């Protein structure tokens, strides 16, 4: 397995439109089929592409799945694309996308397949973390730091750890508990954990 899931093989010009079709087809197959039954041939048939077209881009099934997962963010998680509503809570709520991966039930089926991949291929954990958890963690860290900078909250004792709370708990619920990560669950983390920690009077003095 390669450590960079979106990297293709060199020497041939990539067609972004074809890439997008293949990655979308991968998500469709994951939503309908158990991980063990997902094959390059199934994805190729769904995408209307030859299997060799896929192998020129990705080395195998796991790399293809990771690439598909990595491209599913419906919003730009870079600083310029993040919400700026004036309050941290509103920013965090604005970042939630109930239709990510096609909605909660479809998302659960897809992430269940990813969980099965992790179980069978433990080395995939780092790649999944880089594809899903790390970009969200960076976005949450930016939003929290911006709220601190504008005086909304004191600087927490461990900003990096606090930024990891939402994506890590969501990933644990989806991958290991195999339960839906819905708006109610996300709100419970935002209000009951992240904002509660920031409101502690001693947050900046530990």
């Amino acid at each position: 397995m390669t450590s960079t899931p979106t990297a293709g093989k060199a020497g041939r010009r990539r067609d972004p439109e074809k890439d997008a079709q293949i990655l979308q087809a991968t998500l469709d197959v994951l939503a309908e089929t158990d991980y063990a039954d997902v094959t390059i041939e199934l994805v190729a048939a769904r995408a209307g592409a030859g299997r060799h077209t896929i192998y020129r881009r990705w080395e195998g099934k796991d790399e293809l799945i990771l690439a598909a997962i990595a491209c599913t963010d419906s919003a730009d998680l870079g600083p310029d694309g993040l919400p700026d509503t004036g309050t941290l809570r509103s920013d965090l709520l604005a970042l939630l996308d109930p239709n990510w991966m096609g909605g909660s039930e479809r998302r659960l089926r897809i992430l269940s397949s990813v969980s099965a991949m992790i179980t069978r291929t433990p080395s995939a954990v780092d790649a999944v973390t880089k594809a899903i958890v790390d970009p969200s963690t960076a976005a949450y860290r930016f939003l929290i730091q911006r709220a601190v900078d504008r005086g909304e909250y004191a600087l927490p004792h461990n900003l990096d750890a606090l930024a990891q709370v939402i994506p890590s708990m969501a990933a644990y619920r989806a991958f290991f508990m195999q339960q839906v990560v819905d708006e109610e669950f996300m709100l419970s983390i935002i209000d009951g954990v992240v904002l509660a920690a920031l409101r502690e009077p001693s947050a900046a003095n530990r």
Side-chain angles (χ1 to χ4, degrees):
M1 170 176 287
T2 60
S3 59
T4 306
T6 56
K9 297 181 180 180
R12 181 180 292 269
R13 178 176 294 179
R14 296 282 288 268
D15 178 354
E17 184 175 347
K18 177 58 68 175
D19 286 2
Q21 291 173 354
I22 293 170
L23 296 176
Q24 182 58 53
T26 302
L27 294 175
D28 291 341
V29 171
L30 283 172
E32 300 167 3
T33 310
D34 291 339
Y35 167 77
D37 296 325
V38 174
T39 65
I40 296 296
E41 288 74 16
L42 275 177
V43 173
R46 177 63 66 91
R51 60 193 299 272
H52 294 296
T53 299
I54 295 178
Y55 278 118
R56 282 197 297 267
R57 289 162 164 79
W58 298 280
E59 292 186 2
K61 180 171 78 171
D62 288 355
E63 287 78 11
L64 177 59
I65 290 173
L66 289 168
I69 295 297
C71 75
T72 55
D73 287 317
S74 60
D76 181 6
L77 291 180
D80 293 339
L82 294 176
D84 188 2
T85 65
T87 69
L88 177 58
R89 186 177 191 275
S90 294
D91 287 345
L92 296 177
L93 294 179
L95 199 59
L96 300 181
D97 182 3
N99 294 315
W100 183 52
M101 291 189 188
S104 60
E105 294 297 332
R106 186 174 188 271
R107 179 167 62 245
L108 179 60
R109 292 194 296 270
I110 292 172
L111 295 181
S112 292
S113 291
V114 176
S115 177
M117 179 181 71
I118 292 172
T119 300
R120 300 185 185 202
T121 313
S123 59
V125 171
D126 286 344
V128 171
T129 299
K130 290 177 182 178
I132 299 178
V133 177
D134 287 354
S136 295
T137 297
Y140 287 120
R141 190 189 192 286
F142 178 86
L143 293 178
I144 295 170
Q145 181 65 63
R146 188 173 64 191
V148 169
D149 292 343
R150 66 180 171 231
E152 188 178 355
Y153 295 101
L155 182 68
H157 174 65
N158 193 328
L159 175 58
D160 290 334
L162 191 60
Q164 292 173 2
V165 167
I166 297 176
S168 296
M169 291 183 70
Y172 180 81
R173 183 177 176 88
F175 292 140
F176 299 104
M177 298 180 68
Q178 296 193 6
Q179 295 182 13
V180 171
V181 178
D182 54 16
E183 185 176 359
E184 180 181 1
F185 175 76
M186 296 297 283
L187 283 173
S188 71
I189 302 175
I190 290 172
D191 290 330
V193 181
V194 175
L195 297 183
L198 287 168
R199 284 193 295 266
E200 289 188 22
S202 58
N205 300 316
R206 292 174 185 165

